[in-house]
Amino acid sequence: MAESWLFWNDGPHEPPWNMAADEALLLEAPARKIPLLRCYAWSRPSVSLGYVQTLEAAPAGYAAVRRPTGGGVVYHDHDFTFSVTFPMGHWLTGLNRMESYNWLNRSLQRALVALGFPAQLSAQEIPHQVDRARMVCFTNPTRYDLLLEGRKIAGSAQRRTADGLLHQASLHWGAPLPVERPLLTEALLRGLGEVMEVETLPFSPGESLQQRIQDLVTTKYGTDDWNRLR
């Protein structure tokens, strides 16, 4: 039997707004009670840094913001970005971190294969000698990342709190997207439906959510205190 998720087909935003939106959705997950998938874009060339990284890891010429999740530097210039927020108590929050990656990344793999890209799940781990404070996400595949012809094409990171689980993911070919965003979105929805038996209902943010996002931009993601925290 299919389970229902909400789907927010969002547009491009400034880097602090994008990270604030994902955290706001996590904070509101208990009241929402069901998962929410958000597909979005970036209003200018940007990078997001993993939670444990320093701002010095960001390359020159890109707007930078620290994520609430871990991982390495992710370039948001030609990428396809999405997040899923799960309320605590959803079956996926009861899995260990790697198994939750497995389910979500197999769904994305199914989407890519349907579009003619034979992506494979990585079985390797990030070597211990890699400097995680400065590493670039797409040059360091880890287990259950997606590889295409041996190159990492998709990565993800998570944060778990008492409210639930936030999964942030990015798909990047290392060049402009070879497939239009609407087709990628449709394929992702199909992949989730086939692998996780998900059906989606449209979602639009209300005034209270938009205000919460803006508050997080002002007090957290748009501040030097957050972005230079490490």
Side-chain angles (χ1 to χ4, degrees), residues 113-174:
V113 169
L115 290 171
F117 301 99
Q120 298 179 325
L121 292 170
S122 173
Q124 66 192 79
E125 302 288 351
I126 297 175
H128 293 295
Q129 66 269 25
V130 171
D131 180 3
R132 291 174 181 265
R134 292 178 177 272
M135 74 176 185
V136 176
C137 177
F138 280 75
T139 62
N140 294 281
T142 191
R143 192 178 181 192
Y144 295 135
D145 283 340
L146 288 174
L147 307 177
L148 184 64
E149 298 178 348
R151 177 187 175 277
K152 182 173 176 177
I153 191 175
S156 52
Q158 294 181 355
R159 179 185 177 189
R160 293 174 183 245
T161 70
D163 295 313
L165 185 154
L166 167 62
H167 178 92
Q168 293 181 311
S170 177
L171 179 62
H172 204 306
W173 271 262

Side-chain angles (χ1 to χ4, degrees), residues 92-104 125 132 142-144 156-160 165 167:
L92 192 134
T93 68
L95 302 179
N96 66 42
R97 181 172 59 91
M98 296 314 299
E99 281 306 306
S100 64
Y101 281 124
N102 184 19
W103 277 100
L104 291 161
E125 302 288 351
R132 291 174 181 265
T142 191
R143 192 178 181 192
Y144 295 135
S156 52
Q158 294 181 355
R159 179 185 177 189
R160 293 174 183 245
L165 185 154
H167 178 92

Side-chain angles (χ1 to χ4, degrees), residues 49-55 57 66 71-73 132-135 230:
L49 310 175
Y51 179 76
V52 302
Q53 294 191 297
T54 64
L55 191 59
R66 285 179 66 237
V73 178
R132 291 174 181 265
R134 292 178 177 272
M135 74 176 185
R230 292 290 166 180

Side-chain angles (χ1 to χ4, degrees), residues 174-219:
L177 292 174
V179 180
E180 294 183 359
R181 290 179 185 276
L183 292 179
L184 284 169
T185 300
E186 291 173 9
L188 176 59
L189 294 176
R190 287 196 303 271
L192 288 165
E194 293 172 4
V195 174
M196 299 182 66
E197 298 186 357
V198 169
E199 60 182 16
T200 57
L201 305 170
F203 174 85
S204 296
E207 289 185 11
S208 62
L209 175 59
Q210 294 191 55
Q211 184 59 57
R212 191 166 205 169
I213 294 169
Q214 190 56 53
D215 289 345
L216 284 167
V217 170
T218 302
T219 62

Side-chain angles (χ1 to χ4, degrees), residues 7-160:
F7 171 49
W8 180 3
N9 193 14
D10 200 5
H13 298 283
E14 285 289 293
W17 200 98
N18 273 332
M19 295 301 94
D22 280 349
E23 179 166 338
L25 292 172
L26 177 61
L27 291 169
E28 297 196 355
R32 202 169 51 243
K33 300 185 186 306
I34 63 174
L36 188 148
L37 167 68
R38 173 179 172 242
C39 293
Y40 56 97
W42 304 73
S43 59
R44 52 177 164 152
S46 310
V47 294
S48 62
L49 310 175
Y51 179 76
V52 302
Q53 294 191 297
T54 64
L55 191 59
E56 287 69 29
Y62 288 81
V65 64
R66 285 179 66 237
R67 296 190 303 275
T69 57
V73 178
V74 177
Y75 283 78
H76 304 291
D77 44 8
H78 306 296
D79 75 325
F80 175 80
T81 317
F82 68 92
S83 67
V84 190
T85 45
F86 298 89
M88 188 56 67
H90 183 273
W91 65 266
L92 192 134
T93 68
L95 302 179
N96 66 42
R97 181 172 59 91
M98 296 314 299
E99 281 306 306
S100 64
Y101 281 124
N102 184 19
W103 277 100
L104 291 161
N105 289 348
R106 280 196 294 116
S107 300
L108 181 56
Q109 179 191 29
R110 183 71 61 89
L112 290 171
V113 169
L115 290 171
F117 301 99
Q120 298 179 325
L121 292 170
S122 173
Q124 66 192 79
E125 302 288 351
I126 297 175
H128 293 295
Q129 66 269 25
V130 171
D131 180 3
R132 291 174 181 265
R134 292 178 177 272
M135 74 176 185
V136 176
C137 177
F138 280 75
T139 62
N140 294 281
T142 191
R143 192 178 181 192
Y144 295 135
D145 283 340
L146 288 174
L147 307 177
L148 184 64
E149 298 178 348
R151 177 187 175 277
K152 182 173 176 177
I153 191 175
S156 52
Q158 294 181 355
R159 179 185 177 189
R160 293 174 183 245

